[in-house]
Amino acid sequence: MQAPRSVLRVALPLPLPRTFDYLPPPGVAAATVVAGQRIVVPFAGRELCGIVVGHGDPEPGIEPKPALALPEALPLLQGELLASLQWLAGYLHAPLGDVLANALPAVLRRGEPLADTTRHGWRLAEAGCTALPAMRAGRPQALAALLADVRDEAWLDAEHAGWRAPMRGLRERGLVERVALHQERGPFPAAPTQPAPVLNPEQRSAADAIRAADGFASFLLDGVTGSGKTEVYLDAIGDCLARGRQALVLVPEIGLTPQALARFRARLGVPVHALHSGLGDGERAATWLAAMRGQARVIVGTRSAVFVPLPEAGLVVVDEEHDGSYKQFDGIRYHARDFAIVRARALGVPVVLGSATPALESLHNAQSGRHAHLRLRHRAGAARPPAVRVLDVRKRPLQAGLSGESLDAIRAALQAGGQVLVFKNRRGYAPVLLCHDCGWSAHCTRCGTPEKPSAMTVHGGGRRLQCHHCGHRRAVPLACPDCASLGLQPQGAGTERIEEVLQERFAGNTVLRIDRGSSGHRDALQKHFEALGAQPGILVGTQMLAKGHDLPNLTLVVVVGVDEGLFSADFRSAEKLAQLLVQVAGRAGRADKPGTVLVQTHHPDHPLLHTLIAGGYHAFADAELQQREAAGFPPFTYLALLRAEAKHADPPMQFLQQARDLLGDAGIEISGPLPAPMPRRAGYLRTQLVLSAPERRRLHAALDTLLPRLHALPAARKLRWSLDVDPVELY
Ligand code: ADP
Ligand code: ZN
Ligand code: ZN
């Protein structure tokens, strides 16, 4: 007879590649506990909240401890989601407990029971009905006015973010009351407030192909900027909702603007739940749970939204699928686009990857037939593509990097009532502070190597120095530390300095700077844009400007200095630069206003610029894919990067050498251990080992044997190390 399977296998949020066995809490039978449930257990004198991943038999001679509690009777990670996350942990060779914890909203990672699993809504109390007509206009009054009917909290979350504080005030005044809701779901009170445009033939055939998908299918919606990709998503989402299913839409961090959400809301007629880093922990958890219960029908979110439960999934969309923000750079190094495809397959639903500049991986997958390739070659409606011109700025006088020709074009565009975008991929005032007398320049003491320390960027209008690698800040010295000269001069121009020059030159016009320094806060950014409206004005910024807020009056784009990107060593830098140029250029000339793009360069004959401007993104991509194939880079080989760092150079080098020895003759290519291209950051010496193989299977087989052995090395606990599967940067 088989012994009863009395032990629970628990994945704990620890960087260890194993599960732990526990007995169920006293009084609970193991058989009633389901995989995916949260469980609170004692561990090394602490309490940890883990996830039950299965049942097992006690190992001989080991007496498992009883767990402390099961916070709820339902599994939070159920079915497909749990299985997909288990797959992800295996693929990333990351500890399962870490991966599962990472998928939960922060509030739910702790073991506290869910405050309340019944749904609640709000309505006016009797006193509220009486008081409403006489209330002063404002947020509380507007909120109260909505509550003649009971409003679901999920609806309030989706449609009136930030409602909780004013609602508390109303409750304290006895004007509103919270009531439990009984029916399982909806009906939500919203309805489309904006009609859909008639899709053009290209859009229609793309949308029809997606609608026709029966079960899993992956599509690359490859459409030039302004070709109406969003309309195709909206059509597919509308169809998905009509079939009674949920839709998940992933957008890049910068793409999730209030403007974009408003467009979705107005067009779909159901609440749209946003999920992004700007929300509070409580709001994130509420939305995640609403998705789990099937209450949230459309979830639009950034990277980590790929982890929402979708019990009634019908469609997954990844907008701007090439965007770098989909890759997580620390902790669990997953790629949200790739995991979205895995989930869609497991859920048996179509997934649409959209971009004007598809990642070379995705193009390659489309060319090899793995994704259906849907093309939108023309701009929707009346808009024409912008005219792109390369400006050779060699030997031209430049002011904060801007040539006379660019300045003239800006003046003309403003005079014609247009808006101008000036793009420079360098934030701060100037990239270097130089002593004009002795050649000293400001460097970070903690980054770069002694031979080549990394420069500190000048910020704060020339008063402050900041290291963009480690964040270290200090004041600009009054005099040169080497020769005491007062001739310290900022060299080159970042966005701050360009802003300063444009403000001087075009006094009387609005000049808005958009970069991580100026607009960390999402709402602040939105306010800026609203203040600008349709007036003539200039936007100066970094890649944050490549997408996001729609600017219908934008007639001129000036790209200042692409040259840094043309000669970077990273194998992906050409792809990134081409994407950035095409995306920034694509912002010009929407609607009925034709646009112009000026690209300033000291290398007008560079092949990348040539191919891109003469042949467009696809000509560039074809050439670049050929080069990648010849050089043996992704997508033709598969990479994994093992990184190690410590305060001294030897331990990381030795650790990675041990890894190399452990790999032995695994039939994969190994390069290193070598210092990372950025060999020292924040005082840590960084070393890396690059593993590559022409087949994914071979690489993963090698990692499968390597990782447990690596974890077992004593050195593994004495330094920081990480494995990055499919690294985006070899940095
Ligand atoms: P993309 O997402 O490809 O950049 P959008 O979906 O934002 O493009 O569409 C660009 C602009 O064209 C928007 O202003 C949109 O309203 C408009 N548009 C899209 N499709 C159509 C259509 N079929 N008819 C008229 N206008 C359209
Ligand atoms: Zn000096
Ligand atoms: Zn630094």
Side-chain angles (χ1 to χ4, degrees):
M1 211 184 77
Q2 210 175 352
R5 294 164 72 76
S6 58
V7 164
L8 302 176
R9 297 263 130 89
V10 177
L12 292 175
L14 298 168
L16 298 170
R18 51 165 297 194
T19 56
F20 296 85
D21 287 352
Y22 286 90
L23 296 171
V28 178
T32 64
V33 181
V34 217
Q37 262 183 274
R38 294 194 297 164
I39 189 165
V40 181
V41 300
F43 185 89
R46 291 185 289 162
E47 281 183 20
L48 288 180
C49 179
I51 301 285
V52 177
V53 292
H55 296 79
D57 301 315
E59 281 179 48
I62 296 177
E63 181 61 29
K65 286 188 196 148
L68 300 170
L70 293 158
E72 60 272 318
L74 285 169
L76 288 191
L77 296 173
Q78 33 192 313
E80 172 278 330
L81 182 53
L82 181 61
S84 293
L85 290 167
Q86 283 173 313
W87 178 91
L88 183 65
Y91 184 78
L92 299 176
H93 302 270
L96 179 60
D98 264 353
V99 171
L100 299 184
N102 179 70
L104 287 173
V107 173
L108 302 178
R109 283 174 212 166
R110 306 188 283 265
E112 293 132 44
L114 295 183
D116 203 339
T117 49
T118 48
R119 281 172 58 213
H120 283 88
W122 291 82
R123 69 172 176 218
L124 284 179
E126 242 177 75
C129 294
T130 323
L132 182 62
M135 279 175 79
R136 259 190 303 123
R139 189 92 207 260
Q141 185 271 341
L143 194 57
L146 295 169
L147 302 181
D149 294 329
V150 180
R151 297 294 181 161
D152 190 323
E153 290 187 341
W155 180 83
L156 289 164
D157 280 338
E159 302 281 299
H160 297 278
W163 61 272
R164 285 172 203 270
M167 192 73 90
R168 260 198 305 280
L170 290 171
R171 169 137 87 171
E172 278 157 19
R173 291 157 63 191
L175 302 181
V176 298
E177 57 196 10
R178 187 170 189 243
V179 292
L181 300 177
H182 297 296
Q183 82 274 32
E184 248 313 282
R185 177 185 330 132
F188 288 110
T193 53
Q194 212 180 67
V198 177
L199 297 185
N200 65 35
E202 281 186 330
Q203 286 173 313
R204 186 73 262 158
S205 72
D208 287 345
I210 300 164
R211 279 171 178 250
D214 181 19
F216 171 73
S218 57
F219 298 92
L220 178 61
L221 180 60
D222 178 351
V224 299
T225 50
S227 59
K229 294 181 289 296
T230 310
E231 293 300 335
V232 176
Y233 307 148
L234 286 165
D235 181 273
I237 297 166
D239 178 58
C240 162
L241 291 172
R243 288 184 286 111
R245 314 228 127 234
Q246 293 173 294
L248 170 65
V249 182
L250 298 182
V251 292
E253 191 62 47
I254 306 153
L256 189 50
T257 60
Q259 197 186 29
L261 278 172
R263 184 171 171 195
F264 272 74
R265 286 182 178 139
R267 289 286 305 287
L268 290 171
V270 297
V272 171
H273 286 75
L275 206 51
H276 56 77
S277 56
L279 298 175
D281 283 353
E283 287 172 296
R284 289 173 69 91
T287 296
W288 198 90
L289 290 168
M292 185 183 89
R293 297 188 193 112
Q295 290 160 5
R297 308 306 290 172
V298 180
I299 300 112
V300 180
T302 52
R303 183 174 60 224
S304 65
V306 75
F307 297 122
V308 293
L310 295 167
E312 297 167 26
L315 177 71
V316 179
V317 172
V318 185
D319 188 25
E320 308 291 357
E321 62 86 32
H322 65 280
D323 193 88
S325 73
Y326 286 127
K327 171 83 178 181
Q328 169 119 329
F329 283 100
D330 47 22
I332 308 298
R333 293 170 166 78
Y334 66 98
H335 198 299
R337 173 197 60 217
D338 297 346
F339 190 53
I341 299 171
V342 169
R343 288 202 64 194
R345 185 191 300 275
L347 289 162
V349 304
V351 55
V352 181
L353 314 178
S355 178
T357 53
L360 294 187
E361 275 84 354
S362 301
L363 270 181
H364 180 62
N365 282 335
Q367 284 160 3
S368 64
R370 222 172 301 166
H371 303 322
H373 199 172
L374 309 173
R375 301 277 310 257
L376 306 178
R377 292 163 204 268
H378 308 286
R379 285 193 160 184
R384 275 172 288 153
V388 182
R389 214 147 54 81
V390 171
L391 285 188
D392 180 358
V393 294
R394 284 175 297 184
K395 300 188 190 150
R396 300 288 170 90
L398 299 177
Q399 203 187 353
L402 288 158
S403 75
E405 223 174 323
S406 296
L407 288 166
D408 291 345
I410 294 173
R411 182 175 309 281
L414 291 173
Q415 275 166 1
Q419 294 174 335
V420 179
L421 190 160
V422 177
F423 172 81
K424 169 82 187 187
N425 218 7
R426 204 177 262 278
R427 70 200 163 84
Y429 187 79
V432 174
L433 180 71
L434 182 76
C435 171
H436 205 54
D437 289 330
C438 77
W440 171 89
S441 61
H443 290 109
C444 180
T445 52
R446 313 197 300 161
C447 298
T449 56
E451 304 80 53
K452 199 172 173 296
S454 64
M456 286 189 93
T457 303
V458 186
H459 280 256
R463 293 181 300 279
R464 187 159 46 76
L465 292 168
Q466 190 181 333
C467 173
H468 283 188
H469 298 291
C470 70
H472 183 66
R473 291 168 179 222
R474 59 189 150 100
V476 162
L478 292 173
C480 172
D482 277 4
C483 75
S485 153
L486 297 177
L488 293 178
Q489 287 176 5
Q491 297 290 302
T495 46
E496 272 185 34
R497 193 172 202 176
I498 296 176
E499 177 192 25
E500 187 183 275
V501 164
L502 291 170
Q503 265 165 352
E504 260 168 45
R505 278 266 176 158
F506 302 105
N509 288 280
T510 310
V511 180
L512 273 183
R513 177 164 56 85
I514 312 289
D515 57 31
R516 252 192 305 150
S518 75
S519 35
H521 202 262
R522 199 179 299 265
D523 294 344
L525 189 61
Q526 179 69 8
K527 290 219 176 72
H528 277 320
F529 278 121
E530 276 165 10
L532 179 63
Q535 310 163 51
I538 308 176
L539 294 131
V540 185
T542 57
Q543 60 186 352
M544 281 187 81
L545 276 179
K547 55 204 151 240
H549 198 94
D550 200 21
L551 299 159
N553 256 343
L554 189 68
T555 54
L556 174 67
V557 169
V558 180
V559 178
V560 186
V562 291
D563 297 352
E564 300 96 338
L566 290 173
F567 300 100
S568 162
D570 193 272
F571 77 92
R572 259 184 243 271
S573 65
E575 178 184 358
K576 282 195 218 147
L577 179 62
Q579 289 167 341
L580 205 51
L581 282 175
V582 173
Q583 295 284 351
V584 173
R587 306 218 51 183
R590 293 219 155 186
D592 49 348
K593 303 216 170 175
T596 305
V597 180
L598 301 177
V599 181
Q600 292 192 173
T601 178
H602 287 89
H603 304 276
D605 298 321
H606 195 283
L608 184 148
L609 292 177
H610 254 282
T611 318
L612 203 55
I613 287 161
Y617 182 75
H618 286 81
F620 158 79
D622 289 343
E624 186 68 13
L625 275 168
Q626 277 177 19
Q627 288 192 16
R628 294 266 188 98
E629 183 162 24
F633 277 121
F636 301 94
T637 53
Y638 298 91
L639 297 184
L641 185 60
L642 199 55
R643 299 183 174 93
E645 58 178 46
K647 295 253 161 125
H648 301 283
D650 290 345
M653 213 38 120
Q654 283 159 4
F655 178 71
L656 292 185
Q657 186 57 48
Q658 280 177 303
R660 191 180 172 123
D661 296 343
L662 286 172
L663 278 163
D665 186 19
I668 61 170
E669 217 174 295
I670 308 173
S671 87
L674 286 167
M678 176 77 201
R680 195 170 60 114
R681 184 156 71 193
Y684 279 80
L685 289 139
R686 312 166 76 234
T687 306
Q688 63 187 31
L689 192 68
V690 182
L691 316 179
S692 69
E695 293 140 40
R696 191 167 255 158
R697 203 159 13 93
R698 226 193 292 166
L699 178 64
H700 282 261
L703 292 173
D704 279 337
T705 34
L706 175 65
L707 266 286
R709 296 183 191 174
L710 216 46
H711 277 284
L713 291 176
R717 286 189 295 279
K718 295 188 185 127
L719 43 66
R720 300 194 211 165
W721 65 277
S722 64
L723 174 72
D724 191 348
V725 174
D726 304 332
V728 167
E729 275 180 352
L730 303 182
Y731 199 62

